Amino acid sequence: MHDTPEAAIERPQKLTFSPLVTVQQHILQEQRRFVGASGEFSWLLSGLTLATKLVAAKVRRAGLSDILGAEGSTNVQGEVQQKLDVYANDMLLHALKVRESVAMMASEEDETPLLAHGGSPTAKYIVVFDPLDGSSNIDVNVSVGTTFSILRRTRPLDEEVTTDEVLQPGNKQVAAGYVLYGSSTMLVYSAGRGVHGFTLDPAVGAYVLSHPNIRIPSSGKYYSMNEAHLDRCPEPYQRLVAGLRSGEYGKRYDSRYIGSMVSDFHRTLLKGGIFLYPPNDLRPEGKLRLLYEANPIAYIAEQAGGRASDGRQRILDVQPTSIHQRTPFVVGGPQEMQYFEKALLAASV
Ligand code: AHM
Ligand code: MG
């Protein structure tokens, strides 16, 4: 039955919603599921998204900044030039220190943690980050990334925050993620309920949900490591790579290595396979940092169905002893991680 034109005018129209979900909406939806969620957590994460948008904009202009002036010099706009990693660090510190829920921050760029609102009853969280990982790649126009990890304070909130509160194993992370400044800028994060990827729409400046519920493929076709060090690595790593190359595990793997951890991991997350930064004779504990590089990536990997190890134990169970400590790091899909464990066992008999 059709409405008369008059009835059609009187009846309110049904709104159809577009499926576009921004990271802010997504965090709020996630937060509503937590009992007693106060909104502080989403406000904190919005600090990270704001800072990384500023970094993304700067990274896009990296070559131009070089033309406009070298580090330390003054460019034509009268601005003093900064190295991009220093800029990224400043943006994160700046955006996070005004969030009342942040007690303390620790960054790869700073020797010691920086106090924000520690000792205030609202400041529940500690944020740890590498502002611009792989920054040497900037000079050659290769993708870089920001990694971050969010921890809850361990002491009563009204007590002054102490440095040892940063030293928590990765299994205590409340949320973690990374931003990849690649051919597009992508934020990948997890707050313990799966892994979600958002692509920055440069036209509107919003991170838009593009990869909901990312699952790492059970098996992939690439391994990723700096093979120049292979002969200086412990035997299990040599065995694993030999097996992946020879077809011992049922197929011959190809290799891909960018030398920028976030990029190498992001490919591994989406396409499967394994990424390794093993210990070697020159670096007995590897190169990557436990707290703000390995831990957030390991958290994302596990949330997506993968695993991460230091060759001795699960990365997320390692008790840190210092803020900038390094760790051997192996992360990947379940099948390849099983091959790694097999190689570890074979070497120990
Ligand atoms: P950085 O924190 O000094 O940027 O170093 C970390 C980077 C990672 O992104 C990458 O996985 C690794 O260094 C590459 O190291 P290498 O050049 O030894 O292969
Ligand atoms: Mg780094």
Side-chain angles (χ1 to χ4, degrees):
M1 203 177 80
H2 293 286
D3 290 331
T4 61
E6 292 75 23
I9 290 166
E10 276 166 22
R11 181 176 297 167
Q13 286 182 47
K14 231 183 190 170
L15 269 179
T16 49
F17 291 99
S18 109
L20 193 102
V21 178
T22 66
V23 68
Q24 222 53 51
Q25 283 170 285
H26 193 268
I27 293 165
L28 283 169
Q29 281 164 14
E30 286 279 289
Q31 190 176 257
R32 271 188 218 119
R33 298 191 199 160
F34 296 110
V35 184
S38 57
E40 289 166 351
F41 190 61
S42 61
W43 178 229
L44 188 167
L45 280 165
S46 77
L48 287 165
T49 56
L50 170 65
T52 57
K53 282 182 211 171
L54 293 165
V55 176
K58 198 78 168 177
V59 167
R60 293 273 165 266
R61 301 188 74 234
L64 288 168
S65 309
D66 285 350
I67 295 167
L68 297 174
E71 188 204 350
S73 71
T74 307
N75 69 14
V76 285
Q77 286 101 34
E79 300 161 336
V80 176
Q81 294 296 299
Q82 264 183 328
K83 269 183 75 181
L84 262 165
D85 40 12
V86 177
Y87 177 84
N89 196 40
D90 285 353
M91 290 308 106
L92 282 157
L93 294 176
H94 179 76
L96 289 171
K97 78 176 180 212
V98 294
R99 267 51 181 177
E100 303 77 12
S101 59
V102 178
M104 191 164 59
M105 298 165 285
S107 160
E108 177 169 17
E109 290 287 324
D110 298 297
E111 199 48 42
T112 51
L114 294 128
L115 200 67
H117 302 276
S120 142
T122 56
K124 294 181 192 154
Y125 299 108
I126 294 169
V127 189
V128 188
F129 50 86
D130 182 354
L132 208 63
D133 184 59
S135 52
S136 60
N137 282 316
I138 284 277
D139 294 347
V140 287
N141 219 341
V142 167
S143 305
V144 289
T146 297
T147 49
F148 62 89
S149 165
I150 300 172
L151 301 159
R152 231 183 275 279
R153 282 201 60 190
T154 52
R155 287 177 200 275
L157 298 186
D158 53 359
E159 283 180 20
E160 195 59 36
V161 64
T162 53
T163 302
D164 60 281
E165 288 181 75
V166 183
L167 302 178
Q168 300 183 43
N171 58 34
K172 297 275 192 247
Q173 291 172 105
V174 176
Y178 61 83
V179 174
L180 170 61
Y181 309 99
S183 38
S184 62
T185 298
M186 250 192 101
L187 165 73
V188 175
Y189 97 103
S190 175
R193 291 167 178 269
V195 176
H196 311 285
F198 301 80
T199 302
L200 181 62
D201 181 340
V204 292
Y207 282 108
V208 178
L209 183 62
S210 52
H211 296 63
N213 287 313
I214 300 173
R215 301 297 295 168
I216 192 165
S218 59
S219 173
K221 55 179 185 174
Y222 301 124
Y223 68 92
S224 184
M225 76 167 281
N226 185 341
E227 258 179 290
H229 300 303
L230 188 59
D231 59 344
R232 291 192 290 247
C233 292
E235 194 197 332
Y237 296 90
Q238 299 191 24
R239 267 178 188 266
L240 174 74
V241 173
L244 292 168
R245 294 180 56 165
S246 67
E248 188 189 322
Y249 304 121
K251 63 182 168 202
R252 291 173 74 123
Y253 281 73
D254 276 333
S255 82
R256 292 281 187 279
Y257 189 67
I258 297 167
S260 186
M261 182 191 65
V262 174
S263 317
D264 280 315
F265 173 71
H266 188 66
R267 182 195 54 251
T268 308
L269 178 68
L270 296 187
K271 301 284 181 195
I274 190 164
F275 168 83
L276 314 102
Y277 206 109
N280 63 54
D281 292 348
L282 305 176
R283 294 179 183 275
E285 281 304 308
K287 179 180 183 190
L288 301 178
R289 313 291 185 148
L290 174 63
L291 278 179
Y292 41 78
E293 292 175 342
N295 270 345
I297 297 293
Y299 185 81
I300 295 289
E302 287 200 5
Q303 282 289 323
R307 286 195 274 141
S309 159
D310 68 353
R312 300 170 287 235
Q313 61 176 321
R314 179 183 176 222
I315 280 285
L316 297 183
D317 289 338
V318 178
Q319 173 61 52
T321 52
S322 69
I323 287 169
H324 299 290
Q325 91 185 56
R326 298 179 194 272
T327 180
F329 189 42
V330 182
V331 60
Q335 188 73 82
E336 287 78 14
M337 288 305 286
Q338 207 180 316
Y339 300 149
F340 175 56
E341 275 150 24
K342 221 171 134 184
L344 285 171
L345 282 173
S348 66
V349 286

